[in-house]
Amino acid sequence: MRRFLRVAGRLVCGLAVLLLSPVLGLATLAGMATVMAGPQVFSVTGLAVFASVFYLGLLLCVPRPAARWARWARAVALLGVEAVVVWHVCAQVLTEPPGTPPPAARVEGQREWELPTGSRLAYVRVAAGKASAAPVVVLQGRGDLAGDAAFFGQLAEGGREVYVYDALGTGRSERLRDPRGYGLPRDVSDLEAIRDELGAERLVLVGHGEGARLAAAYLGAFPGRVERVVFSSPAPLRPPPTVLGFPAPGESLRVPDVDARMLVTHALLRVEPQAARAFAGDGELDARLDRTRALASASYHCPGAKLTPEPRGSGGYASLAPRDVEPPAASGVPVLVVKGSCDFQPWSSIRDYPRGGLVYVEDAGHAVYADRPGPYLKALRSFLAGRPTGTPAGDRPPPGYLGPA
């Protein structure tokens, strides 16, 4: 009985050490990164600690035999297991995934803002005639300048200019050396600098999806600078936790693009973001997010809808920045919320937004403007013209709503 307890205790200790080995490896890797060691140094050091602790765990799990030849056989077998596991982990950690795309090419009409905030942002301007009204600024963040300019440019009427731009760290806009520079405070400052660059007293904001958060944050910070605002398929102001920070937008996507290399990147982001970017560059993180969104493309539309390819370069490191927004106080700014009948964003996401008119669009998913462009444009044109649009938003979804509550 005593021997059984001793063997069982050794096995439990061994399993605990095995489970602890990747934690100690990541901790060592992160610690080395904080003393400004290069990616090669902190990667190899962390892997060496992982391998050493993992082998110790194997030794504890397998009792030491009495016969000398059996000890040698045990050592060879354990080294074989060690080699297979460590080789697999090393291959995942040290090998950059294939298929990292080149930077997105320029689109027709693309220009750049050099803002006093230090941001360099790519944008497209659409105008029809002489501008005499507040410009429309579209907040999307999908990296599809050409497509967004072609669609939302149809709002360029009645003396309005329409501006579509890629937020910092996304699409064709500048990437930062230090990922700590990303986040809503910087995006809000950039948007205020854009308003000043345009020489506009006030802006009309059209925030779609994640862009609705930015619109709400800007409205909360500069209510007097907003003429009216559209929250289109708005994302929750306080987003729920996600695996390693990557958004998982639809029910069709349960597990983001996660492996040992991504675990290392995420650990580095928590302690030394610049080391994370040196380890896994912008192209790699952009490609990972592109793959995540491509897998979830069906969730952007109603079942059976025709799917279109998702744009590239949506911004990996920028997407990992904190995005929580405090609900803006009542400001008297006219508000319109547009919601599709099968949007993957929950109905509850609109509760924290300022209340205004609600346009509920049947047979439309998250990409409501792509699924039902006619009703969408009609609602926005009516709203921009100052006419009462939509009905009061309720806390509960209407009958027939297919999205989450």
Side-chain angles (χ1 to χ4, degrees), residues 204-382:
V204 174
L205 301 180
V206 178
H208 180 81
E210 301 289 332
R213 283 198 196 119
L214 174 54
Y218 183 83
L219 179 63
F222 302 99
R225 300 298 190 184
V226 181
E227 181 184 279
R228 53 189 59 236
V229 59
V230 177
F231 300 118
S232 172
S233 303
L237 293 183
R238 296 187 180 94
T242 55
V243 180
L244 297 185
F246 270 126
E251 291 298 317
S252 61
L253 182 63
R254 295 293 186 178
V255 181
D257 189 8
V258 177
D259 54 23
R261 186 173 175 88
M262 190 59 198
L263 286 170
V264 170
T265 304
H266 191 66
L268 290 172
L269 275 171
R270 290 182 173 273
V271 296
E272 191 60 44
Q274 287 179 289
R277 186 173 179 268
F279 176 74
D282 290 301
E284 179 180 340
L285 265 289
D286 283 6
R288 286 179 179 273
L289 183 55
D290 288 345
R291 287 194 294 271
T292 300
R293 292 189 169 178
L295 288 172
S297 59
S299 68
Y300 287 88
H301 308 272
C302 285
K306 182 180 179 181
L307 303 183
T308 56
E310 288 296 310
R312 294 190 296 105
S314 38
Y317 279 108
S319 74
L320 296 175
R323 298 285 169 180
D324 286 17
V325 181
E326 287 298 320
S331 61
V333 174
V335 170
L336 176 67
V337 176
V338 183
K339 186 79 169 169
S341 61
C342 41
D343 185 4
F344 67 73
Q345 295 288 5
W347 188 269
S348 60
S349 65
I350 69 176
R351 293 173 186 163
D352 289 336
Y353 282 86
R355 293 304 176 101
L358 167 69
V359 171
Y360 176 71
V361 184
E362 296 279 0
D363 301 321
H366 183 72
V368 58
Y369 58 89
D371 290 344
R372 298 293 305 280
Y376 187 88
L377 277 175
K378 181 180 178 181
L380 264 62
R381 283 170 171 156
S382 176

Side-chain angles (χ1 to χ4, degrees), residues 17-35 37-39 41-54 89-90 92-94 244 258-272 275-276 279:
V17 172
L18 288 176
L19 293 173
L20 191 61
S21 59
V23 177
L24 292 177
L26 281 173
T28 302
L29 182 147
M32 291 295 293
T34 61
V35 297
V41 175
F42 64 65
S43 299
V44 172
T45 304
L47 288 169
V49 170
F50 162 73
S52 302
V53 178
F54 187 82
V89 173
C90 287
Q92 280 201 355
V93 170
L94 300 177
L244 297 185
V258 177
D259 54 23
R261 186 173 175 88
M262 190 59 198
L263 286 170
V264 170
T265 304
H266 191 66
L268 290 172
L269 275 171
R270 290 182 173 273
V271 296
E272 191 60 44
F279 176 74

